[in-house]
Amino acid sequence: MSGGADGAYRALIGELAALVRLAHTALRGATAVLTDSAGGNGIPAAEKALAELRSRIEEDAAGALGGRAGVVVGVHVGCEVEAVGQLVQRLLEAAWARQRRELFGERPLASLHGIADAALGLVARAADTLESGGPEGVADVLSELHEVGQRQRLLYELLLREADADADPVDTADLVLLSCCYQQCAEHGASIARHAVLFSPAAS
């Protein structure tokens, strides 16, 4: 790339990484409501971040991406971030629906919190990896993706062990749905990180 094109491409990478971090902010707000009895303020914060995310995705899609490399990274990351935004919307809808219900039981809630924390960490690291393009960051993200899957499996084992107890079936269904949303958020973040070396300004 020429100096000007290289600068434009780096700027695009920075903008896309900012979109990933905005998705992380929305995800964090929704998580606060679902896992913390004092997390009610998370809904406005998450909705604000989600609205900004959607607006910026539309603006980026309408703008000039700058060459083939810009098209590749812009479309790929844009699709992944948009998918995370849709999952955050599902989490917010679940949070609204659970406003009249008690928090989950202590053990399932701790397990869900672990899945959420792992997914949040992965999405945040995906933004860093997108900017750096380093293979070490990619390896870390893929390791964290495995952790999300392990935590989800442990939650399922807990729910199955307690299947004969007085567990609320609505809570059980919600826990499975929410864990799937977090797992999918992690998958989308990992997809960005997997291509980070390809997207690296140094590689372009």
Side-chain angles (χ1 to χ4, degrees), residues 20-154:
V20 179
R21 293 190 176 99
L22 199 53
H24 176 269
T25 298
L27 185 60
R28 183 178 59 204
T31 299
V33 185
L34 290 163
T35 62
D36 186 350
S37 59
N41 291 334
I43 289 181
E47 289 181 334
K48 179 180 178 182
L50 197 56
E52 183 179 351
L53 177 66
R54 288 167 174 160
S55 175
R56 287 174 64 172
I57 288 174
E58 290 177 2
E59 290 174 3
D60 289 347
L65 293 174
R68 292 182 182 178
V71 171
V72 172
V73 65
V75 172
H76 179 84
V77 176
C79 288
E80 300 295 349
V81 172
E82 186 174 20
V84 173
Q86 292 169 350
L87 289 164
V88 171
Q89 182 62 52
R90 293 182 67 184
L91 291 170
L92 284 171
E93 290 168 359
W96 277 116
R98 291 196 61 85
Q99 287 294 290
R100 298 183 182 87
R101 299 181 63 84
E102 297 289 333
L103 278 176
F104 298 111
E106 182 177 351
R107 294 176 65 196
L109 179 60
S111 186
L112 179 65
H113 211 311
I115 296 169
D117 284 348
L120 279 163
L122 189 152
V123 173
R125 190 180 290 274
D128 296 337
T129 305
L130 178 61
E131 287 186 315
S132 70
E136 300 85 0
V138 178
D140 288 342
V141 167
L142 296 182
S143 175
E144 290 173 15
L145 180 61
H146 177 71
E147 180 184 352
V148 173
Q150 288 291 96
R151 289 179 178 272
Q152 186 180 39
R153 180 180 62 81
L154 291 173

Side-chain angles (χ1 to χ4, degrees), residues 185-202:
C185 285
E187 285 280 2
H188 290 299
S191 179
I192 294 171
R194 286 190 189 101
H195 294 82
V197 174
L198 173 64
F199 296 155
S200 171

